[in-house]
Amino acid sequence: MEHKRIVVGVSGGIAAYKACTVVRQLAEAGHSVQVVPTESALRFVGAATFEALSGLPVHTGVFDDVPQVPHVAIGQQADLVVVAPATADLLARAVAGRADDLLTATLLTARCPVLFAPAMHTEMWQHPATVANVATLRERGAVVLEPASGRLTGADTGPGRLPEAEEINTVVSLLLERSDALPYDLAGRKVLVTAGGTREPIDPVRFIGNRSSGKQGYAVARVAAQRGAEVTLIAAHAAGLIDPAGVHVVRVSSAQQLQDAVTKHAPEAQVLVMAAAVADFRPARTAQAKIKKGPDNQGEPTIELIRNDDVLAGAVRARADGQLPNMRAIVGFAAETGDENGDVLFHARAKLQRKGCDLLVVNAVGEGRAFEVDHNDGWLLAADGTESALEPGSKTLMASRIVDAVVAFLGGRD
């Protein structure tokens, strides 16, 4: 990605210490990072820390470095402004259009994407004043992240925790790739996403698995949640991924467990996105003790396989049978290779017809493609015969394109 000029605003909450990691990661990615804290923020983290991490001087007031007119210039020159943490007070001042310090003045002059990452106690986050302020900022075009749930200051837990730095910077990268990637257009929708690769146990040590990292499914869940959906993520084995903020995560291991979780949660959902790599087969019997290699003359063990149920096709049938009355869109995924019978799209079209889903995301797989990488590309096939390319980019960018297609499909069905 081309290196950008990013302003990191820091307001006065205990989560200000996490802004240090945000700044460090952005600077290490090669971006020019200007930290603009409030006076209250400097009571938690000193200016010297932010200067050391960013390599640029830190000011808080509009009368600092007056000849450079920073209260206007910083916002005008930025490619993106991210405020992390954004306290309830900062959100209120931004809504009111206050300009009584350098950060709020910068927010008034910025014409680039603005991202707020709220952090506050649950009661403050849920207070009608904060709810109204967040809605106003979103109406004005700002992106306000859903906070994470977890440990807050003291012994309190609940929604209001600042998302991890990696998640904030993932959204930053998405907005730098595509500034309109996160409209708040899924409010009131319930979305069920599956992700990761299932593992089918052979014995207590070994399993049949696949190369899925879960990154694409997690990205879809993250984008859908930040676009307003109530998201449940059924997560099979993933590569140590951070749970997306604002997402309810259900952990599973095998294909049967994933199928059971989909059966449980699908009746409440309007959208199902089956991004998980579900094993087609499982061992007919699972050994209760480790299978020993034994002496060389013992012969080779044989593992009998039986077919797993097709979870995606099962959901399509359940909807047709009236068991999923709320379901409006079912999205499948296909990891394909070409062979002597046809290319990737040939096999994908056949799979779409066979599965009966509304949309099918198609990835060509191979060394360094689709699995275990951070980027992706492919095609989006629809049941009505339309096809479109998903251009190369981050998996989060691809997730935003997939969610676009879901939103458009829902608009045509409602």
Side-chain angles (χ1 to χ4, degrees), residues 1-2 4 6 31 79-80 113 169-182 219 223 374-376 391-401:
M1 182 184 298
E2 180 184 352
K4 301 291 187 178
I6 301 174
H31 300 299
D79 294 303
L80 184 139
N169 285 340
T170 295
V171 177
V172 166
S173 296
L174 173 60
L175 293 175
L176 290 175
E177 286 186 283
R178 182 188 170 199
S179 62
D180 63 345
L182 294 175
V223 169
D374 294 326
H375 54 274
N376 213 347
E391 299 299 328
S394 70
K395 286 187 173 178
T396 313
L397 179 63
M398 176 172 278
S400 74
R401 302 296 190 194

Side-chain angles (χ1 to χ4, degrees), residues 104-125:
T104 51
T106 297
L107 290 171
L108 281 179
T109 58
R111 294 298 180 267
C112 58
V114 176
L115 170 67
F116 293 93
M120 64 198 73
H121 272 72
T122 302
E123 294 83 356
M124 300 175 76
W125 173 248

Side-chain angles (χ1 to χ4, degrees), residues 141 146 206 217 244 258 268 281 284 328 355 360:
E146 288 295 317
R206 305 175 182 92
L258 187 142
E268 299 298 320
F281 301 93
R328 297 292 180 270
K355 301 284 188 180
L360 185 70

Side-chain angles (χ1 to χ4, degrees), residues 39-129:
E39 285 287 347
S40 296
L42 295 183
R43 302 186 70 170
F44 293 95
V45 180
T49 299
F50 290 128
E51 290 177 344
L53 292 170
S54 68
L56 294 173
V58 167
H59 302 292
T60 62
V62 296
F63 294 105
D64 297 324
D65 198 17
V66 171
Q68 299 301 319
V69 200
H71 71 288
V72 174
I74 292 175
Q76 287 178 332
Q77 297 170 3
D79 294 303
L80 184 139
V81 177
V82 52
V83 183
T87 61
D89 176 72
L90 188 282
L91 295 174
R93 291 197 291 138
V95 167
R98 297 281 293 274
D100 46 0
D101 62 11
L102 189 56
L103 177 53
T104 51
T106 297
L107 290 171
L108 281 179
T109 58
R111 294 298 180 267
C112 58
V114 176
L115 170 67
F116 293 93
M120 64 198 73
H121 272 72
T122 302
E123 294 83 356
M124 300 175 76
W125 173 248
Q126 295 175 344
H127 192 281

